[in-house]
Amino acid sequence: MAGRAPIATKSSALIAMIADEDTVTGFLLAGVGNVDLRRKTNYLIVDSKTTVKAIEDAFKEFTTREDIAIVLISQYVANMIRFLVDSYNMAVPAILEIPSKDHPYDPAHDSVLSRVKYLFSAESVASGRR
Amino acid sequence: MKISMAEEEAAAVHGNGDSDEKVLEFLDSLEGYLTLMESLASTLRQGWFELASARHSMGVSRVSSASLDLKDHLASTYLEMTQHEFDESIMRQPQFSLRKWASFENGICSSGEEKPDSPQLRQRCPSQISENQEDLSKSDGSHTTVDDLVSVKKERSKSLSVFGTLVSPKLRAAQASFETALDILVEVANLRSSMLSARNQVQRGIEETRK
């Protein structure tokens, strides 16, 4: 493997959204909405009637689709399926937790930050220096 | 004997320097991530406010999810993703760039490989995209022609027309705010990749030191 030239692969991909109505509407205004011939969309609008199962199904669908590179999910929605979000560890699609109108962003619940915070424990840093 | 000990000490110092550099890279990515998330929150708040103002002037029924276009259509704003495989032991670190108000066509192009022909999938390589007059404003601010600007305006209007022929200026402002939010989100995604890659390297360094 020494001396092997890095291979770059470029592809086009969509942004998926699992968020409240205003957030999804806003991003659709910015042109990210995609509806295919089977009427499958790249977004799910979450309201008071949306079930946790529907959110889980949408998350699983968006994270397995090959044409999606980023999944935006409101943090309060991510909290409803926290186990699923935290157990997701693929590089693509990237899961980004975003704030919503009624729920500000909380770094303590961010799945990305929780994956790296253990590096700040005194024990892990000190043990590496011995 | 003395020379080999000196060499070993130099290697140890160099190794510690490398791990410090990786830790610094990780911390820089982390700081950038948190700063961008604050900026994103502020931009989104502005967008929500403008959307609420538009809803107030245009009416609740016009600016709602009921107005959304459910007919099949392609995204006008999408991502271009580059994945570099440097080493099999390091997770691939993808890089994202935003393509605004262009026409999304599913395709995969690899450097040094011939683009496969497919009658079903319309495929374009990035080099061809730059020649296409319909391919427009990029988030990196590259030069656009007059045709590009006209096309961008047309695509923006098309997106707004979902909510009616005459729309409030606040709705246009909301569109601009959410476009800015998308730019920030792509930067966040790239920093996320850097942060996770740096974390993996730091973690590997710690494990190697423990052995």
Side-chain angles (χ1 to χ4, degrees):
Chain A
M1 294 298 170
R4 179 181 165 197
I7 299 171
T9 309
K10 287 189 180 179
S11 57
S12 301
L14 299 168
I15 300 172
M17 294 159 286
I18 305 175
D20 56 275
E21 182 177 348
D22 276 6
T23 305
V24 170
T25 303
F27 283 120
L28 293 184
L29 271 174
V32 299
N34 191 86
V35 182
D36 65 11
L37 292 171
R38 290 170 293 174
R39 299 287 174 94
K40 280 177 75 173
T41 61
N42 60 330
Y43 57 88
L44 172 71
I45 295 175
V46 177
D47 56 23
S48 55
K49 296 173 191 165
T50 311
T51 61
V52 173
K53 175 134 189 354
I55 297 170
E56 283 179 1
D57 290 344
F59 183 83
K60 286 174 187 169
E61 184 204 328
F62 293 154
T63 51
T64 48
R65 273 172 65 167
E66 289 183 356
D67 60 345
I68 290 174
I70 290 179
V71 178
L72 305 179
I73 181 166
S74 292
Q75 196 172 48
Y76 84 98
V77 176
N79 287 339
M80 295 180 195
I81 56 168
R82 182 49 66 193
F83 178 72
L84 208 57
V85 173
D86 282 353
S87 59
Y88 177 85
N89 58 2
M90 304 297 286
V92 176
I95 310 298
L96 301 182
E97 295 184 30
I98 59 175
S100 63
K101 257 190 337 186
D102 304 319
H103 302 86
Y105 173 73
D106 182 2
H109 286 125
D110 191 317
S111 63
V112 174
L113 295 180
S114 57
R115 280 158 71 181
V116 302
K117 70 179 179 185
Y118 82 97
L119 283 176
F120 294 102
S121 73
E123 190 179 325
S124 70
V125 173
S127 64
R129 293 286 182 193
R130 286 186 207 120
Chain B
M1 181 70 167
K2 284 185 183 175
I3 293 172
S4 63
M5 280 174 65
E7 281 176 352
E8 281 177 12
E9 283 178 10
V13 167
H14 183 68
N16 280 341
D18 278 348
S19 59
D20 285 345
E21 193 182 317
K22 287 171 191 168
V23 169
L24 281 173
E25 188 185 322
F26 166 72
L27 291 174
D28 282 342
S29 302
L30 183 60
E31 188 200 359
Y33 183 89
L34 291 170
T35 306
L36 279 177
M37 288 306 289
E38 268 188 47
S39 175
L40 172 71
S42 169
T43 306
L44 284 176
R45 272 196 298 272
Q46 187 177 347
W48 292 320
F49 179 71
E50 284 156 351
L51 202 58
S53 302
R55 187 175 283 127
H56 177 74
S57 59
M58 291 169 62
V60 175
S61 57
R62 280 185 68 189
V63 185
S64 70
S65 56
S67 309
L68 296 176
D69 185 7
L70 292 177
K71 291 183 294 187
D72 56 285
H73 64 275
L74 296 172
S76 307
T77 299
Y78 59 93
L79 295 168
E80 202 167 83
M81 185 174 61
T82 307
Q83 284 187 315
H84 295 278
E85 186 178 5
F86 293 104
D87 190 310
E88 285 180 356
S89 60
I90 299 174
M91 194 166 60
R92 279 185 175 190
Q93 184 177 343
Q95 286 295 310
F96 304 99
S97 60
L98 192 63
R99 306 300 290 264
K100 287 198 257 188
W101 307 116
S103 178
F104 173 67
E105 292 186 2
N106 194 14
I108 299 172
C109 295
S110 301
S111 57
E113 291 180 20
E114 193 173 354
K115 181 168 66 73
D117 290 326
S118 168
Q120 294 172 348
L121 286 176
R122 291 171 293 164
Q123 296 183 348
R124 290 186 302 188
C125 287
S127 57
Q128 292 181 6
I129 289 174
S130 62
E131 294 167 7
N132 189 338
Q133 281 191 346
E134 289 185 0
D135 187 25
L136 315 168
S137 53
K138 303 178 187 180
S139 57
D140 60 5
S142 54
H143 181 67
T144 54
T145 63
V146 172
D147 284 336
D148 293 344
L149 292 171
V150 168
S151 205
V152 165
K153 194 175 169 185
K154 187 178 159 190
E155 290 290 330
R156 282 203 173 106
S157 298
K158 193 174 156 191
S159 182
L160 287 167
S161 66
V162 166
F163 300 97
T165 316
L166 290 172
V167 297
S168 162
K170 285 293 181 186
L171 197 65
R172 293 180 195 276
Q175 184 182 53
S177 293
F178 277 96
E179 281 184 48
T180 305
L182 277 177
D183 288 329
I184 297 172
L185 279 165
V186 169
E187 282 186 62
V188 168
N190 287 330
L191 266 178
R192 173 188 178 275
S193 291
S194 303
M195 192 164 61
L196 292 176
S197 175
R199 181 209 67 166
N200 289 341
Q201 291 181 53
V202 168
Q203 192 175 356
R204 253 192 351 175
I206 292 172
E207 284 165 7
E208 279 168 10
T209 310
R210 281 179 183 163
K211 284 180 187 170

